Amino acid sequence: MNLIPAVESAAALIVGGLLLLVRRRALIAARGSEQEADLQKRYKKHLILGVLALWLGCGLGLGMLAPPQQAELHVNVFAPRMILLGFEVSSSVVVGWIAMALVTLAALWVRIFVIPKFQEQPEGLQLALERMVGFFGEYTQEKAGFVSEPLSAYMLTIALYLAACAITELFGLRPPTADLVMTGSIALITFGMIQYFGLRHKGVGGRIKSFAKPTPIVFPFKLLSDIATPVSLACRLYGNMLGGMIVMHLVYMALGTFGVGIPAVLGLYFNAFHPLIQVFIFVTLSLTFIGEAAE
Amino acid sequence: MDGMVAIGAGLAVLTGLGAGIGMGIATSKAAEAVGRQPEASGKINSLLMLGLALTESTAIYGFVTALIIIFQS
């Protein structure tokens, strides 16, 4: 075993720890006094250098304990299969069940423990929940005003489920939304709803007539674009999720054993913010298409 | 053969060019609109979001096509 990296990593860890300790000592002594802000500015260098040294030590140590394998990027465009209880299922199905269980448990927890404690003046979690439900209600009312109550409940369910699916990526699982079959199934539900509401509000004749507006020439194109709607919805969500996953793969590969801390900052965008934007866009597009079909 | 696969994937991902130009135009128009009518910014925002999502999908199609060319050929 090579001794030099071990010494280097230990030295970096000790230096980093010492720097942070010195800064902490100095700041604790000055707490409450007027010099605190001044000292904080002066010890900024200690903080930066200490964190950098700790990061270097962690990277070197991990590189010594588990040397990185020179792997090349390979991405499964379709989700890998796995054997569960004798059945061959897609891994995204299993992870999707985990996400469903999480959402269901959270919903049960809210129903049993949080809702009975609701007060007249909303606060904390109650405020967040009321804002969320209220926002979806208003948004559905704005986009497709005719059936806002059940539609907004469905949209909120889809949004929570997709968000839970995206969060499973943080635990090292392949998110089920990065699978064309899964996004396709959700898009098919939307397609069914578009047809259902369109037929219910216009009737068969009215729906066919609406395809032939403004001139009968556009009839085949409108029919085609109607059929292309679920495909485009599914591909959009799938491509975005897969793209985020590949970028995170590349970051982990490029950093190797030094991937301590930095992926967390990037993951905040690629695993938290980006999926939420995509969920919002999915809901918006679904509502717009449903509203368009029924108008 | 590998080289041709790489060239094909690169050509497929050129869709990002058009999507980028389109998104830039849409965003500039939205900024102009907000500058002219700041009170309508909420409506403009949601319209912009919808437009960006639809524009972005072309880039995403190219990206998915390139991935399938590389990893499934």
Side-chain angles (χ1 to χ4, degrees):
Chain A
M1 197 163 115
N2 203 347
L3 209 65
I4 298 167
V7 174
E8 277 175 349
S9 117
L13 281 178
I14 289 168
V15 168
L18 274 179
L19 279 170
L20 290 183
L21 214 72
V22 165
R23 177 178 183 275
R24 195 176 142 74
R25 272 294 172 80
L27 282 184
I28 282 179
R31 177 168 293 163
S33 69
E34 297 158 358
Q35 304 161 331
E36 201 183 351
D38 193 40
L39 272 178
Q40 244 170 9
K41 212 177 274 173
R42 205 192 304 164
Y43 278 101
K44 207 171 207 176
K45 229 176 259 171
H46 282 63
L47 180 67
I48 295 168
L49 280 177
V51 169
L52 267 180
L54 281 183
W55 174 72
L56 202 68
C58 281
L60 285 172
L62 283 175
M64 192 190 61
L65 290 175
Q69 291 108 10
Q70 286 296 325
E72 67 179 69
L73 179 72
H74 186 83
V75 176
N76 286 316
V77 176
F78 301 104
R81 321 277 303 176
M82 58 192 283
I83 305 285
L84 187 78
L85 302 175
F87 291 99
E88 195 193 354
V89 292
S90 167
S91 72
S92 59
V93 172
V94 179
V95 182
W97 282 338
I98 295 172
M100 278 180 208
L102 282 179
V103 173
T104 312
L105 282 180
L108 278 177
W109 177 71
V110 165
R111 186 67 193 84
I112 294 171
F113 293 110
V114 180
I115 287 185
K117 285 190 202 152
F118 269 17
Q119 300 151 357
E120 198 68 23
Q121 296 283 323
E123 229 176 42
L125 184 62
Q126 185 191 354
L127 191 63
L129 287 170
E130 286 186 358
R131 278 288 297 165
M132 194 165 71
V133 173
F135 172 76
F136 268 83
E138 280 169 23
Y139 202 61
T140 316
Q141 184 75 35
E142 187 192 318
K143 294 274 174 200
F146 42 89
V147 269
S148 67
E149 272 288 304
L151 209 54
S152 79
Y154 167 71
M155 287 302 163
L156 185 54
T157 313
I158 283 287
L160 284 178
Y161 175 51
L162 290 180
C165 281
I167 282 169
T168 55
E169 196 184 344
L170 291 176
F171 300 99
L173 300 163
R174 184 190 167 103
T177 32
D179 182 2
L180 194 53
V181 180
M182 147 92 192
T183 55
S185 60
I186 294 184
L188 271 182
I189 300 175
T190 298
F191 180 68
M193 289 179 92
I194 292 172
Q195 301 310 324
Y196 171 72
F197 284 118
L199 289 176
R200 207 179 83 175
H201 281 259
K202 279 186 190 158
V204 180
R207 182 123 177 85
I208 290 172
K209 242 183 240 163
S210 77
F211 279 141
K213 267 185 216 163
T215 56
I217 307 165
V218 296
F219 183 83
F221 303 109
K222 279 210 163 180
L223 200 65
L224 210 62
S225 84
D226 212 50
I227 293 166
T229 304
V231 179
S232 91
L233 272 178
C235 279
R236 178 177 302 117
L237 192 59
Y238 164 69
N240 275 303
M241 291 300 150
L242 196 68
M245 202 183 82
I246 288 170
V247 171
M248 286 312 284
H249 266 293
L250 282 173
V251 167
Y252 280 122
M253 249 176 62
L255 288 173
T257 54
F258 287 96
V260 180
I262 295 175
V265 181
L266 286 169
L268 202 63
Y269 177 78
F270 286 110
N271 293 339
F273 180 68
H274 189 68
L276 286 184
I277 288 277
Q278 289 311 317
V279 167
F280 177 68
I281 284 172
F282 189 90
V283 168
T284 306
L285 286 178
S286 299
L287 283 175
T288 309
F289 287 133
I290 291 173
E292 222 167 62
E295 220 171 76
Chain B
M1 191 56 205
D2 262 11
M4 295 309 273
V5 165
I7 289 173
L11 283 178
V13 120
L14 273 185
T15 49
L17 204 69
I21 293 171
M23 285 165 97
I25 291 172
T27 312
S28 84
K29 292 286 178 196
E32 267 176 33
V34 172
R36 204 169 294 147
Q37 271 181 313
E39 65 272 14
S41 68
K43 222 163 206 179
I44 293 167
N45 240 337
S46 64
L47 251 179
L48 175 68
M49 266 290 174
L50 193 69
L52 286 186
L54 288 173
T55 320
E56 189 196 42
S57 56
T58 56
I60 294 293
Y61 297 155
F63 170 70
V64 170
T65 313
L67 278 181
I68 291 173
I69 289 172
I70 291 179
F71 292 115
Q72 295 291 312
S73 62

